[in-house]
Amino acid sequence: MAAGYIINALGLHQVAHLKSPHIPPVAVFVGGRLRHPPFRIYANDMNDLLLLTCEVPIEQDGLYEVSSALMDWLSGVGAREIVILDGIPVRDIPEEHPPIFGVADERAIGELSKRGIQIAQTALITGVGGSILSECMVRDVPGSSLLVPMSVAYPDPEGILSLIDSVNRVYGLSISTEALENDVKRMHQELKAIEKNYQEMVDRSRKQGEEGALRLRPHESEGGSPP
């Protein structure tokens, strides 16, 4: 979600794609166009910013092969730093202004802290993101990850907004967040309406229960103790 938002906000264009037997061969239709395989690489007009995104999970057995091929390609085009944007799945209602946690090597931790990113004490990053970070360490390439708690039960533009804000703060990309902010306002309005309807339902159920108890009392007094 964050990658798609950045692509649209910065007007990035596709420059490459990755095929592998470990990536399901699905067709992706986005923005009125049939796209290349689901693992695609985008760039800005100056070719000093690359964004990698994949819409499907990569098989566990192929993570090393895929991340190694990516790092070979990135090294060949002169990539100087790798940043993983990822989510921490939670089942609660989306938080307001969820915190961003940073995971990085010693070279990047100080910079993230200066930019107001809270450094995670413990984290286990799995999937292709964790595999790429591991490959960064092996190849001595600066690598880091920005993690945000994301609701898996509700649409969560608030988490995406926090993530984009942190990217702007750390890397000065000036990505406009107006559309996200509107989505967040709409989401909070909908959640408040759901909460209000739920509370009204609870109150109505409680009132009906009390009225039922009152109707039973005269009967109980005439016939003595209930069986």
Side-chain angles (χ1 to χ4, degrees), residues 49-79:
L49 172 68
L50 294 174
L51 187 145
L52 289 65
T53 183
C54 186
E55 282 97 351
V56 297
I58 298 170
E59 295 176 0
Q60 290 290 325
D61 292 345
L63 287 175
Y64 172 76
E65 182 179 333
V66 169
S67 60
S68 181
L70 282 171
M71 290 301 295
D72 287 343
W73 187 85
L74 289 169
S75 297
V77 298

Side-chain angles (χ1 to χ4, degrees), residues 18 26 31 44 52 65 68 70 107 139 148 154 188 203:
L18 185 147
V26 300
N44 60 357
L52 289 65
E65 182 179 333
S68 181
L70 282 171
R107 289 167 290 191
R139 299 175 185 236
V148 62
Y154 299 87
H188 285 307
D203 293 343

Side-chain angles (χ1 to χ4, degrees), residues 201-215:
M201 181 182 68
V202 170
D203 293 343
R204 188 162 54 248
S205 178
R206 184 184 297 117
K207 183 178 180 181
Q208 289 172 349
E210 291 172 352
E211 290 174 349
L214 288 172
R215 285 196 297 270

Side-chain angles (χ1 to χ4, degrees), residues 35-113:
R35 306 287 178 169
H36 283 98
F39 205 127
R40 300 184 301 281
I41 302 173
Y42 294 80
N44 60 357
D45 291 335
M46 297 178 64
N47 288 322
D48 58 0
L49 172 68
L50 294 174
L51 187 145
L52 289 65
T53 183
C54 186
E55 282 97 351
V56 297
I58 298 170
E59 295 176 0
Q60 290 290 325
D61 292 345
L63 287 175
Y64 172 76
E65 182 179 333
V66 169
S67 60
S68 181
L70 282 171
M71 290 301 295
D72 287 343
W73 187 85
L74 289 169
S75 297
V77 298
R80 297 190 301 272
E81 183 180 359
I82 309 296
V83 183
I84 306 296
L85 306 181
D86 213 340
I88 304 169
V90 295
R91 296 195 175 276
D92 299 330
I93 290 176
E95 297 182 55
E96 289 194 36
H97 312 299
I100 299 294
F101 298 96
V103 174
D105 58 23
E106 294 180 355
R107 289 167 290 191
I109 280 181
E111 188 63 27
L112 291 181
S113 295

Side-chain angles (χ1 to χ4, degrees), residues 7 12 17 21 28 34 36 48 77 81 90 101 122 128 137 142 165 176 180 185 196 198 208 227:
I7 289 168
L12 306 184
H17 66 270
V28 180
L34 195 60
H36 283 98
D48 58 0
V77 298
E81 183 180 359
V90 295
F101 298 96
T122 304
V128 69
M137 294 179 63
D165 280 341
S176 172
L180 275 175
K185 289 178 183 176
K196 180 182 178 182
Y198 175 76
Q208 289 172 349

